[in-house]
Amino acid sequence: MAADRTNDLNDLNDLNDRGDRGDRGEVPRTIDWAGDHLVAIDQTMLPDRLTLVELRTVDDVIDALARLVVRGAPAIGVTGGLAVALAAVIARRDGHDDNWVRAEAARVRAARPTAVNLSWGVDRVLDRFHADPSNVDGAGGVVAFARSMVDDDVATNRSLAARGADHVRSLLTDPDRVRVLTHCNAGGLACVEWGTALGIVRALHEGGHLHEVFADETRPLLQGARLTAWELARMGIDHRMVVDGAGASVISRGLVDVVIVGADRVAANGDVANKIGTYPLALAAARAGTPFIVAAPESTVDPSTQSGGDIDIEARDPEEVLVWHGRRLAPLASEALNLAFDITPFDLVTALVTESRVVRLAAGERVTG
Ligand code: MRU
């Protein structure tokens, strides 16, 4: 079982406010390496408590991924890479062979199916392990390589955010009072730091160009209400929560200038998998003529998946929909379909912004080829 490090955090700083005071105190990295194990913010506890957990076994990591202790495509990609490094460290300590590390990596890769970043992160570190299995802790070894992915994620998102903010402003008649709608959480908590869609929001805010953010609550696990709102509050950004069903009306009423979301996988044709509820926002934005921007690192682009129809959509436990805080919402006879992601067709995406390019998908530009 993963160990709770809440007290360490309390000692460090009074970080356990809900953002109500607009406290912009530094938040630890979402996921990091700590000597011989991983340390992660427990996102299931936010916004009530900012809690760190130690992940000391591969089972700890898999459990954290499955329960969304760590979630968000870039964050789970980095976590996947760190998990392979952890497996290599454990293998050397306990005398397991290379096949054991390979098998553990396969278990991590299978923890969640939709975000391609997970297999991307696992495979990158596994490749490094295969290249020199004897070099675990040394310079250029498996651990050092996995740790470099943590730093790279921060640099990637900062670059993406700056590019995205410039692009968003270039699309608008009033680029100095930008009003944004976002969905789920594509902020620092979904990455190591900074964020993708929310990274653009942050860059707009820091440049003095942001007016307001609408954040969808994001049923059933409320990543918008619990996590995005927490991040916005800590950054001192004016924001209003809306229920998921209100998103289309917010757009059609002209309350936002742009919709900015993250992605879990971008197929070769530009179709986008993201949190369930993203597709209706894209439909509404197209109808209203509102730009619909997808912000994702290149590690989220999957050239081996031809189109959205080929993406494995995670179906989660129906109880997440049927039960709220221990109370059954629907009659006992009711069942639920709990699809965690949906597919937005490429022609509804005004632009995909990555750390290295802007691809105007709706205008016919291609992601690959
Ligand atoms: O189920 P989650 O919380 O992992 O889903 C996260 C999302 O859908 C995010 O929007 C996506 O991963 C982009 S995060 C930068």
Side-chain angles (χ1 to χ4, degrees), residues 182-196:
T182 191
H183 188 64
C184 193
N185 173 267
L189 291 166
C191 308
V192 173
E193 283 178 12
W194 199 262
T196 57

mmCIF file with all atom_site columns, all heavy atoms in Angstrom, residues 182-196:
data_model
loop_
_atom_site.group_PDB
_atom_site.id
_atom_site.type_symbol
_atom_site.label_atom_id
_atom_site.label_alt_id
_atom_site.label_comp_id
_atom_site.label_asym_id
_atom_site.label_entity_id
_atom_site.label_seq_id
_atom_site.pdbx_PDB_ins_code
_atom_site.Cartn_x
_atom_site.Cartn_y
_atom_site.Cartn_z
_atom_site.occupancy
_atom_site.B_iso_or_equiv
_atom_site.pdbx_formal_charge
_atom_site.auth_seq_id
_atom_site.auth_comp_id
_atom_site.auth_asym_id
_atom_site.auth_atom_id
_atom_site.pdbx_PDB_model_num
ATOM 1   N N   . THR A 1 182 ? -12.909 25.446 -20.482 1.00 0.00 ? 182 THR A N   1
ATOM 2   C CA  . THR A 1 182 ? -12.088 24.233 -20.507 1.00 0.00 ? 182 THR A CA  1
ATOM 3   C C   . THR A 1 182 ? -12.844 23.080 -19.856 1.00 0.00 ? 182 THR A C   1
ATOM 4   O O   . THR A 1 182 ? -13.846 23.281 -19.164 1.00 0.00 ? 182 THR A O   1
ATOM 5   C CB  . THR A 1 182 ? -10.713 24.470 -19.848 1.00 0.00 ? 182 THR A CB  1
ATOM 6   O OG1 . THR A 1 182 ? -9.858  23.355 -20.132 1.00 0.00 ? 182 THR A OG1 1
ATOM 7   C CG2 . THR A 1 182 ? -10.844 24.628 -18.333 1.00 0.00 ? 182 THR A CG2 1
ATOM 8   N N   . HIS A 1 183 ? -12.355 21.883 -20.094 1.00 0.00 ? 183 HIS A N   1
ATOM 9   C CA  . HIS A 1 183 ? -13.039 20.670 -19.655 1.00 0.00 ? 183 HIS A CA  1
ATOM 10  C C   . HIS A 1 183 ? -12.036 19.759 -18.960 1.00 0.00 ? 183 HIS A C   1
ATOM 11  O O   . HIS A 1 183 ? -10.866 19.726 -19.335 1.00 0.00 ? 183 HIS A O   1
ATOM 12  C CB  . HIS A 1 183 ? -13.623 19.959 -20.883 1.00 0.00 ? 183 HIS A CB  1
ATOM 13  C CG  . HIS A 1 183 ? -14.521 18.794 -20.554 1.00 0.00 ? 183 HIS A CG  1
ATOM 14  N ND1 . HIS A 1 183 ? -15.708 18.938 -19.872 1.00 0.00 ? 183 HIS A ND1 1
ATOM 15  C CD2 . HIS A 1 183 ? -14.403 17.475 -20.821 1.00 0.00 ? 183 HIS A CD2 1
ATOM 16  C CE1 . HIS A 1 183 ? -16.286 17.756 -19.742 1.00 0.00 ? 183 HIS A CE1 1
ATOM 17  N NE2 . HIS A 1 183 ? -15.513 16.841 -20.296 1.00 0.00 ? 183 HIS A NE2 1
ATOM 18  N N   . CYS A 1 184 ? -12.504 19.030 -17.962 1.00 0.00 ? 184 CYS A N   1
ATOM 19  C CA  . CYS A 1 184 ? -11.648 18.115 -17.209 1.00 0.00 ? 184 CYS A CA  1
ATOM 20  C C   . CYS A 1 184 ? -10.492 18.900 -16.585 1.00 0.00 ? 184 CYS A C   1
ATOM 21  O O   . CYS A 1 184 ? -10.634 20.075 -16.272 1.00 0.00 ? 184 CYS A O   1
ATOM 22  C CB  . CYS A 1 184 ? -11.145 16.971 -18.098 1.00 0.00 ? 184 CYS A CB  1
ATOM 23  S SG  . CYS A 1 184 ? -10.395 15.612 -17.164 1.00 0.00 ? 184 CYS A SG  1
ATOM 24  N N   . ASN A 1 185 ? -9.360  18.278 -16.387 1.00 0.00 ? 185 ASN A N   1
ATOM 25  C CA  . ASN A 1 185 ? -8.182  18.985 -15.885 1.00 0.00 ? 185 ASN A CA  1
ATOM 26  C C   . ASN A 1 185 ? -7.008  18.689 -16.780 1.00 0.00 ? 185 ASN A C   1
ATOM 27  O O   . ASN A 1 185 ? -6.578  17.542 -16.893 1.00 0.00 ? 185 ASN A O   1
ATOM 28  C CB  . ASN A 1 185 ? -7.834  18.581 -14.449 1.00 0.00 ? 185 ASN A CB  1
ATOM 29  C CG  . ASN A 1 185 ? -6.515  19.201 -14.016 1.00 0.00 ? 185 ASN A CG  1
ATOM 30  O OD1 . ASN A 1 185 ? -5.458  18.581 -14.147 1.00 0.00 ? 185 ASN A OD1 1
ATOM 31  N ND2 . ASN A 1 185 ? -6.544  20.417 -13.539 1.00 0.00 ? 185 ASN A ND2 1
ATOM 32  N N   . ALA A 1 186 ? -6.533  19.727 -17.454 1.00 0.00 ? 186 ALA A N   1
ATOM 33  C CA  . ALA A 1 186 ? -5.324  19.625 -18.268 1.00 0.00 ? 186 ALA A CA  1
ATOM 34  C C   . ALA A 1 186 ? -4.335  20.652 -17.747 1.00 0.00 ? 186 ALA A C   1
ATOM 35  O O   . ALA A 1 186 ? -3.712  21.405 -18.504 1.00 0.00 ? 186 ALA A O   1
ATOM 36  C CB  . ALA A 1 186 ? -5.653  19.847 -19.742 1.00 0.00 ? 186 ALA A CB  1
ATOM 37  N N   . GLY A 1 187 ? -4.197  20.679 -16.427 1.00 0.00 ? 187 GLY A N   1
ATOM 38  C CA  . GLY A 1 187 ? -3.310  21.635 -15.779 1.00 0.00 ? 187 GLY A CA  1
ATOM 39  C C   . GLY A 1 187 ? -2.038  20.986 -15.279 1.00 0.00 ? 187 GLY A C   1
ATOM 40  O O   . GLY A 1 187 ? -1.672  19.878 -15.700 1.00 0.00 ? 187 GLY A O   1
ATOM 41  N N   . GLY A 1 188 ? -1.383  21.666 -14.345 1.00 0.00 ? 188 GLY A N   1
ATOM 42  C CA  . GLY A 1 188 ? -0.154  21.129 -13.778 1.00 0.00 ? 188 GLY A CA  1
ATOM 43  C C   . GLY A 1 188 ? -0.364  19.760 -13.163 1.00 0.00 ? 188 GLY A C   1
ATOM 44  O O   . GLY A 1 188 ? 0.531   18.911 -13.187 1.00 0.00 ? 188 GLY A O   1
ATOM 45  N N   . LEU A 1 189 ? -1.550  19.512 -12.643 1.00 0.00 ? 189 LEU A N   1
ATOM 46  C CA  . LEU A 1 189 ? -1.827  18.220 -12.018 1.00 0.00 ? 189 LEU A CA  1
ATOM 47  C C   . LEU A 1 189 ? -1.912  17.089 -13.043 1.00 0.00 ? 189 LEU A C   1
ATOM 48  O O   . LEU A 1 189 ? -1.757  15.921 -12.686 1.00 0.00 ? 189 LEU A O   1
ATOM 49  C CB  . LEU A 1 189 ? -3.136  18.283 -11.221 1.00 0.00 ? 189 LEU A CB  1
ATOM 50  C CG  . LEU A 1 189 ? -3.100  19.142 -9.958  1.00 0.00 ? 189 LEU A CG  1
ATOM 51  C CD1 . LEU A 1 189 ? -4.514  19.402 -9.444  1.00 0.00 ? 189 LEU A CD1 1
ATOM 52  C CD2 . LEU A 1 189 ? -2.243  18.476 -8.886  1.00 0.00 ? 189 LEU A CD2 1
ATOM 53  N N   . ALA A 1 190 ? -2.186  17.429 -14.288 1.00 0.00 ? 190 ALA A N   1
ATOM 54  C CA  . ALA A 1 190 ? -2.264  16.407 -15.341 1.00 0.00 ? 190 ALA A CA  1
ATOM 55  C C   . ALA A 1 190 ? -0.906  16.184 -15.998 1.00 0.00 ? 190 ALA A C   1
ATOM 56  O O   . ALA A 1 190 ? -0.766  15.323 -16.877 1.00 0.00 ? 190 ALA A O   1
ATOM 57  C CB  . ALA A 1 190 ? -3.291  16.815 -16.399 1.00 0.00 ? 190 ALA A CB  1
ATOM 58  N N   . CYS A 1 191 ? 0.069   16.988 -15.589 1.00 0.00 ? 191 CYS A N   1
ATOM 59  C CA  . CYS A 1 191 ? 1.427   16.896 -16.130 1.00 0.00 ? 191 CYS A CA  1
ATOM 60  C C   . CYS A 1 191 ? 2.366   16.837 -14.920 1.00 0.00 ? 191 CYS A C   1
ATOM 61  O O   . CYS A 1 191 ? 1.926   16.498 -13.828 1.00 0.00 ? 191 CYS A O   1
ATOM 62  C CB  . CYS A 1 191 ? 1.728   18.131 -16.984 1.00 0.00 ? 191 CYS A CB  1
ATOM 63  S SG  . CYS A 1 191 ? 0.479   18.459 -18.261 1.00 0.00 ? 191 CYS A SG  1
ATOM 64  N N   . VAL A 1 192 ? 3.630   17.143 -15.112 1.00 0.00 ? 192 VAL A N   1
ATOM 65  C CA  . VAL A 1 192 ? 4.522   17.243 -13.947 1.00 0.00 ? 192 VAL A CA  1
ATOM 66  C C   . VAL A 1 192 ? 4.325   18.602 -13.280 1.00 0.00 ? 192 VAL A C   1
ATOM 67  O O   . VAL A 1 192 ? 4.239   18.717 -12.058 1.00 0.00 ? 192 VAL A O   1
ATOM 68  C CB  . VAL A 1 192 ? 5.988   17.045 -14.378 1.00 0.00 ? 192 VAL A CB  1
ATOM 69  C CG1 . VAL A 1 192 ? 6.933   17.329 -13.206 1.00 0.00 ? 192 VAL A CG1 1
ATOM 70  C CG2 . VAL A 1 192 ? 6.194   15.612 -14.878 1.00 0.00 ? 192 VAL A CG2 1
ATOM 71  N N   . GLU A 1 193 ? 4.247   19.627 -14.104 1.00 0.00 ? 193 GLU A N   1
ATOM 72  C CA  . GLU A 1 193 ? 3.964   20.997 -13.669 1.00 0.00 ? 193 GLU A CA  1
ATOM 73  C C   . GLU A 1 193 ? 3.331   21.720 -14.847 1.00 0.00 ? 193 GLU A C   1
ATOM 74  O O   . GLU A 1 193 ? 3.382   21.242 -15.978 1.00 0.00 ? 193 GLU A O   1
ATOM 75  C CB  . GLU A 1 193 ? 5.264   21.768 -13.370 1.00 0.00 ? 193 GLU A CB  1
ATOM 76  C CG  . GLU A 1 193 ? 5.947   21.457 -12.089 1.00 0.00 ? 193 GLU A CG  1
ATOM 77  C CD  . GLU A 1 193 ? 7.250   22.274 -11.957 1.00 0.00 ? 193 GLU A CD  1
ATOM 78  O OE1 . GLU A 1 193 ? 7.473   23.218 -12.747 1.00 0.00 ? 193 GLU A OE1 1
ATOM 79  O OE2 . GLU A 1 193 ? 8.032   21.939 -11.081 1.00 0.00 ? 193 GLU A OE2 1
ATOM 80  N N   . TRP A 1 194 ? 2.788   22.874 -14.600 1.00 0.00 ? 194 TRP A N   1
ATOM 81  C CA  . TRP A 1 194 ? 2.414   23.850 -15.621 1.00 0.00 ? 194 TRP A CA  1
ATOM 82  C C   . TRP A 1 194 ? 1.123   23.512 -16.356 1.00 0.00 ? 194 TRP A C   1
ATOM 83  O O   . TRP A 1 194 ? 0.160   24.236 -16.278 1.00 0.00 ? 194 TRP A O   1
ATOM 84  C CB  . TRP A 1 194 ? 3.584   24.041 -16.599 1.00 0.00 ? 194 TRP A CB  1
ATOM 85  C CG  . TRP A 1 194 ? 3.454   25.323 -17.360 1.00 0.00 ? 194 TRP A CG  1
ATOM 86  C CD1 . TRP A 1 194 ? 2.942   25.449 -18.634 1.00 0.00 ? 194 TRP A CD1 1
ATOM 87  C CD2 . TRP A 1 194 ? 3.777   26.644 -16.914 1.00 0.00 ? 194 TRP A CD2 1
ATOM 88  N NE1 . TRP A 1 194 ? 2.946   26.774 -18.997 1.00 0.00 ? 194 TRP A NE1 1
ATOM 89  C CE2 . TRP A 1 194 ? 3.455   27.542 -17.955 1.00 0.00 ? 194 TRP A CE2 1
ATOM 90  C CE3 . TRP A 1 194 ? 4.297   27.157 -15.738 1.00 0.00 ? 194 TRP A CE3 1
ATOM 91  C CZ2 . TRP A 1 194 ? 3.634   28.902 -17.871 1.00 0.00 ? 194 TRP A CZ2 1
ATOM 92  C CZ3 . TRP A 1 194 ? 4.491   28.524 -15.646 1.00 0.00 ? 194 TRP A CZ3 1
ATOM 93  C CH2 . TRP A 1 194 ? 4.157   29.382 -16.698 1.00 0.00 ? 194 TRP A CH2 1
ATOM 94  N N   . GLY A 1 195 ? 1.080   22.422 -17.128 1.00 0.00 ? 195 GLY A N   1
ATOM 95  C CA  . GLY A 1 195 ? -0.165  22.059 -17.792 1.00 0.00 ? 195 GLY A CA  1
ATOM 96  C C   . GLY A 1 195 ? -0.154  22.326 -19.281 1.00 0.00 ? 195 GLY A C   1
ATOM 97  O O   . GLY A 1 195 ? 0.690   23.052 -19.807 1.00 0.00 ? 195 GLY A O   1
ATOM 98  N N   . THR A 1 196 ? -1.139  21.738 -19.968 1.00 0.00 ? 196 THR A N   1
ATOM 99  C CA  . THR A 1 196 ? -1.270  21.919 -21.421 1.00 0.00 ? 196 THR A CA  1
ATOM 100 C C   . THR A 1 196 ? -2.363  22.961 -21.705 1.00 0.00 ? 196 THR A C   1
ATOM 101 O O   . THR A 1 196 ? -2.061  24.130 -21.902 1.00 0.00 ? 196 THR A O   1
ATOM 102 C CB  . THR A 1 196 ? -1.567  20.579 -22.111 1.00 0.00 ? 196 THR A CB  1
ATOM 103 O OG1 . THR A 1 196 ? -2.752  19.993 -21.544 1.00 0.00 ? 196 THR A OG1 1
ATOM 104 C CG2 . THR A 1 196 ? -0.405  19.620 -21.958 1.00 0.00 ? 196 THR A CG2 1
#
